[in-house]
Amino acid sequence: MFAGRMFTICLESDLHLLRRPVTALSTLPAVGYLLIERGLFRQNTALLGASIWVFVLLGVEGIKTYKANPHFAISTYRIPTWTTPLVVLLFTTALIPNTSLLEASVLALRRDPRLLKIPPYLSTVCVLVGIVWLCLLPLNEYSRHTYISENALLPGQVHTYLGGSEQHVFNAYKHEVQALAESSHEEIAAKLCEIFRSVGLKAATQKYEYQAAGHKVGGENAYAILHAPRGDATEAIVLVAAWTNMDGDLNQSGVALALTLARYFKRWSLWSKDIIILITSDSKAGPQAWVDAYHDEHSSLSAAPLPLKSGALQGVVVLDHALDHRFESIHIVYDGINGQLPNLDLFNSAVHIVNGQMGIGVSLQRMWKHDDSYRARLQTMLRGMVSQGLGHTSGPHSSFIPYHVDAITLQAVGNGWHDEMAMGRCVEGTFRSLNNLLEHFHQSFFFYLLMQSQRFVSIGTYLPSAMLVAVNFTIMAIALWIQSGRPLKPATASTAGDKPPKLEAEVIQHDGMVAVVPKQELATVERKLFLPVVLVVTFHFLGAIPLYIFNNTHQDMLPQTLTFSALANVFLPTLLAILISGYTSLSTHRLVLLHCFSLLLLGMFLATLATLNFSLAFLVGLLAVPLSFVGIPMSVENGDGAPKLSVRRRVLCNAVLHLLSPPAVVWAACKVVGVDAGAVLAEAAFGWKVSGLWTQVVVCCVWWPAWMVAAVIVSPAL
């Protein structure tokens, strides 16, 4: 036993060091290596003994060095010195061939069929760890207290003066707004421009009209520009008040307060940036038409150009005060289109001014009563993820964020003792902070999850959860690729009289290493890639069909279209399987490759999407997790080349797939939330036509094709 003799020599050479207790631990790597080689890989070669000798010597030197000098100091990082032997081994293995300590074992192990049993469990662990990771984020140990990164903002450091006689001005403007409640868009815009010009501001209007889901949405925006007495018209901040808010209510106090602030700001000479006061006809199409035209990105068929412009937009604050009484708190809305978010400094500045300076309560994600418990934090975070995952317009501010203009909406909610002047002072303080900006927002985070007005997690903390969900598809794709290159197992003996097949072994050499493996495991199968690749690409391009249908169907027909698509998904996989089988045979290896490429693309898409819209990638990834585990099992027993799925497994896979098909998920989500499916799909179609929403692109061209591939693989027709 060469290995045993070498190990004895190693131990004897180390006995003189055992007087030091810490040095005795240097033999543990050799013991562990011996157990792995002899117990797991069952090898006893010269390489084994030499490896033990090297392990012991490096272990002794590593422990001695660690005791004398525990750490290396590189910048602010401290690296343990006991890692030096490991680094030496890695460099030696990379630079000098035939020196790896475990290559011979890996050479024999890489074709071990037992390896294919690991990926399903590893994928399950990745998904579970990703979910647990997300659930840990609300804890104090993983979240952080909000802070201001841009020192120039100085939120809450100035005294606000709005009040007194401005209350009477507000009441007068409110009566004007109420008198125009039933007027046409043109009459409203003309009256607003008249008010703007009466206080000495330049005013203009803009007409727009969009058509989506069979309905036309049009109106006329009115806006005015207050040129900064101390500026050069290169930068501007915007105050927006939509005539009707997101709920369709008349924003009477919000519009009146915007007019009051326009008159109030005109009296001050401290502004270094232009101020634009924008009154839009609605909360979705109006802001989008205006900001598109401001950046010359509008279509002349949908929106008119702007006759007046200012400089680069630095920040936007939206007023939403549809109440006719005093309010209790301010609800800050910050979600943008496609999950984009404003710079966290803008949100933190508003919270600091509203809550810290003015003493007004702050809420977000419609969590009116937040007790800062774990449950409340988790619920707030999940609500934010759902809103960002949907990617829809959550307020007039959403239209500005895709142009890298940071924007938020201040919405008055509840029944309390704060009046309109208190909200006006919040806007004044926020504008005074924005006026201090020396450059565009860039210091703080653009990717974050809020779980309370003063608690957040950044992208570096939450991103691994979505990546773990996405990597489970890649792991299964790699396992399927390995399986596709192996021959099918021959049929085993079925009766007692049959003799089991004789296994032949073969010695293989690679870079000077020697290993003995069964000859059957060395056999390879030529992978025929053309058909699986063509099918996967075709399925993804076919996703453009439901994308076009749902974005161009009349709103009244959208519920029926959703029902029809759900029923079509029940029969379409079987029809496609029959059609493909009539053209060419779908052998086991082709189905495995088809599944492999589908999961590979899905994992790649979701990993990329997670860096842009984490919430959408995480939600779609969770809903698509069953796609990793349906299909041909990792061990196929038949030898005729045809896929073999038990009836029970096939029925179970089909049931799970059809319960989690995209149309079924949309329908079930609408039922649970209590909203009309037609309204949701119409909102998505409007976002596609007007705002550039691409959530349905992910659903139709990423999720649905991967689902269809899995459904075809487990189709009863195969």
Side-chain angles (χ1 to χ4, degrees):
M1 296 288 289
F2 179 78
R5 291 195 297 270
M6 288 299 298
F7 186 59
T8 303
I9 295 173
C10 293
L11 290 178
E12 291 176 353
S13 66
D14 200 33
L15 285 177
H16 69 283
L17 295 173
L18 293 180
R19 290 175 295 176
R20 303 174 185 178
V22 67
T23 311
L25 297 177
S26 61
T27 59
L28 292 181
V31 175
Y33 185 81
L34 181 65
L35 292 177
I36 293 175
E37 287 283 2
R38 296 289 294 129
L40 180 61
F41 298 137
R42 301 185 182 279
Q43 292 193 2
N44 181 24
T45 63
L47 181 62
L48 173 61
S51 300
I52 297 173
W53 177 259
V54 173
F55 260 95
V56 171
L57 293 182
L58 289 178
V60 170
E61 292 301 320
I63 294 298
K64 290 169 61 178
T65 304
Y66 180 75
K67 188 174 182 181
N69 185 18
H71 298 92
F72 291 121
I74 301 178
S75 183
T76 59
Y77 300 97
R78 302 179 67 187
I79 303 175
T81 54
W82 59 263
T83 59
T84 305
L86 301 179
V87 176
V88 172
L89 286 176
L90 291 177
F91 273 96
T92 304
T93 302
L95 298 177
I96 305 176
N98 308 328
T99 58
S100 175
L101 303 178
L102 288 175
E103 282 186 4
S105 302
V106 174
L107 182 63
L109 183 64
R110 66 181 183 177
R111 291 187 173 276
D112 194 326
R114 293 174 295 179
L115 286 179
L116 289 180
K117 298 180 180 180
I118 299 177
Y121 299 102
L122 185 59
S123 295
T124 303
V125 170
C126 288
V127 174
L128 294 178
V129 172
I131 296 174
V132 172
W133 190 300
L134 187 73
C135 294
L136 291 176
L137 295 180
L139 299 176
N140 288 333
E141 292 79 6
Y142 301 96
S143 59
R144 288 190 278 176
H145 196 279
T146 56
Y147 58 92
I148 304 294
S149 299
E150 180 58 72
N151 295 326
L153 286 171
L154 299 174
Q157 300 300 311
V158 298
H159 183 72
T160 55
Y161 298 94
L162 182 68
S165 61
E166 301 300 329
Q167 179 70 54
H168 303 294
V169 176
F170 169 81
N171 293 332
Y173 283 143
K174 188 174 181 179
H175 286 299
E176 293 277 1
V177 172
Q178 291 174 342
L180 293 171
E182 302 299 330
S183 302
S184 63
H185 297 304
E186 292 77 11
E187 294 174 344
I188 295 173
K191 182 61 178 179
L192 293 173
C193 286
E194 179 184 340
I195 295 175
F196 285 138
R197 295 189 180 102
S198 66
V199 297
L201 301 177
K202 294 181 179 179
T205 61
Q206 179 207 24
K207 291 185 177 181
Y208 63 91
E209 184 178 83
Y210 295 99
Q211 185 171 359
H215 291 285
K216 291 184 178 180
V217 180
E220 187 169 358
N221 298 324
Y223 68 102
I225 300 178
L226 168 60
H227 291 289
R230 303 170 57 186
D232 54 0
T234 58
E235 295 178 336
I237 48 183
V238 186
L239 176 62
V240 182
W243 190 261
T244 56
N245 63 8
M246 292 294 293
D247 298 326
D249 301 326
L250 177 63
N251 188 18
Q252 49 185 355
S253 297
V255 174
L257 186 57
L259 298 175
T260 304
L261 288 171
R263 181 180 181 273
Y264 174 75
F265 289 159
K266 177 66 177 177
R267 294 158 43 191
W268 290 88
S269 60
L270 53 84
W271 304 112
S272 63
K273 296 177 175 60
D274 292 352
I275 297 178
I276 301 175
I277 297 91
L278 172 63
I279 311 297
T280 60
S281 295
D282 66 305
S283 294
K284 297 178 183 178
Q288 190 67 51
W290 190 88
V291 71
D292 286 345
Y294 194 90
H295 294 89
D296 295 324
E297 296 291 337
H298 66 292
S299 171
S300 58
L301 301 177
S302 303
L306 298 181
L308 295 177
K309 288 186 180 181
S310 181
L313 304 182
Q314 300 298 306
V316 178
V317 177
V318 180
L319 282 172
D320 184 358
H321 190 351
L323 305 177
D324 197 20
H325 52 76
R326 293 173 179 259
F327 64 93
E328 179 184 8
S329 62
I330 289 182
H331 179 236
I332 300 181
V333 188
Y334 57 92
D335 303 311
I337 298 171
N338 294 323
Q340 294 175 291
L341 301 173
N343 189 272
L344 190 57
D345 268 348
L346 177 59
F347 177 87
N348 292 338
S349 299
V351 171
H352 191 85
I353 293 169
V354 173
N355 186 254
Q357 184 181 13
M358 302 299 170
I360 304 175
V362 174
S363 60
L364 59 153
Q365 301 300 341
R366 297 185 176 271
M367 290 289 293
W368 313 125
K369 301 296 181 181
H370 198 298
D371 57 0
D372 200 26
S373 63
Y374 171 82
R375 181 176 181 180
R377 288 185 180 185
L378 181 63
Q379 189 174 357
T380 303
M381 184 185 69
L382 293 179
R383 287 188 178 190
M385 288 181 59
V386 171
S387 179
Q388 295 163 30
L390 293 176
H392 65 296
T393 300
S394 59
H397 68 280
S398 299
S399 302
F400 293 86
I401 297 179
Y403 288 96
H404 304 288
V405 179
D406 302 290
I408 57 173
T409 293
L410 303 181
Q411 182 183 23
V413 295
N415 192 352
W417 58 276
H418 300 289
D419 61 1
E420 297 83 3
M421 292 299 101
M423 190 171 191
R425 286 190 291 272
C426 295
V427 176
E428 179 187 358
T430 305
F431 268 53
R432 293 285 295 273
S433 293
L434 293 175
N435 190 58
N436 295 333
L437 275 178
L438 302 177
E439 51 188 336
H440 199 76
F441 280 109
H442 70 283
Q443 293 278 5
S444 193
F445 298 95
F446 287 94
F447 298 93
Y448 51 86
L449 291 176
L450 286 168
M451 52 199 65
Q452 187 217 31
S453 61
Q454 298 180 349
R455 205 81 190 174
F456 80 104
V457 289
S458 63
I459 184 172
T461 305
Y462 67 71
L463 186 61
S465 59
M467 288 300 183
L468 285 169
V469 174
V471 81
N472 100 85
F473 301 108
T474 305
I475 292 173
M476 292 301 297
I478 295 174
L480 290 169
W481 174 261
I482 296 174
Q483 182 188 5
S484 66
R486 295 185 175 183
L488 298 174
K489 293 182 179 180
T492 58
S494 57
T495 61
D498 296 336
K499 295 183 179 180
K502 184 179 180 181
L503 295 178
E504 299 181 0
E506 183 173 334
V507 178
I508 59 174
Q509 297 182 357
H510 180 71
D511 291 337
M513 297 176 297
V514 180
V516 179
V517 296
K519 192 172 183 179
Q520 177 189 345
E521 297 179 7
L522 293 176
T524 58
V525 175
E526 180 184 0
R527 296 182 177 95
K528 299 179 180 180
L529 306 180
F530 179 75
L531 181 62
V533 170
V534 169
L535 289 177
V536 170
V537 174
T538 302
F539 279 130
H540 280 274
F541 275 104
L542 288 178
I545 296 177
L547 179 65
Y548 177 84
I549 292 175
F550 281 104
N551 287 331
N552 292 275
T553 302
H554 195 280
Q555 181 176 354
D556 298 336
M557 296 298 298
L558 283 174
Q560 293 83 350
T561 305
L562 180 64
T563 303
F564 175 77
S565 64
L567 295 176
N569 278 345
V570 176
F571 304 102
L572 187 59
T574 302
L575 295 178
L576 289 175
I578 295 174
L579 180 63
I580 298 172
S581 300
Y583 170 74
T584 182
S585 62
L586 285 176
S587 63
T588 299
H589 291 291
R590 283 180 171 176
L591 289 176
V592 170
L593 285 172
L594 181 63
H595 199 191
C596 168
F597 293 144
S598 176
L599 293 181
L600 187 64
L601 284 178
L602 181 60
M604 180 185 68
F605 284 139
L606 293 181
T608 305
L609 179 63
T611 62
L612 302 174
N613 190 340
F614 161 82
S615 303
L616 180 59
F618 187 84
L619 295 174
V620 172
L622 282 185
L623 293 171
V625 162
L627 304 184
S628 296
F629 304 100
V630 301
I632 307 300
M634 282 299 175
S635 59
V636 182
E637 300 296 337
N638 61 311
D640 58 359
K644 181 180 180 181
L645 284 176
S646 64
V647 176
R648 182 178 179 180
R649 179 184 176 91
R650 193 182 297 275
V651 171
L652 180 61
C653 291
N654 277 280
V656 172
L657 285 178
H658 288 100
L659 286 175
L660 292 177
S661 67
V665 170
V666 172
W667 181 85
C670 292
K671 290 296 182 181
V672 171
V673 179
V675 297
D676 180 54
V680 172
L681 295 175
E683 176 74 14
F686 178 85
W688 169 263
K689 293 289 185 66
V690 179
S691 307
L693 178 66
W694 39 259
T695 301
Q696 52 266 58
V697 177
V698 176
V699 173
C700 295
C701 298
V702 176
W703 180 17
W704 180 84
W707 180 92
M708 187 58 67
V709 168
V712 168
I713 292 174
V714 299
S715 170
L718 297 179

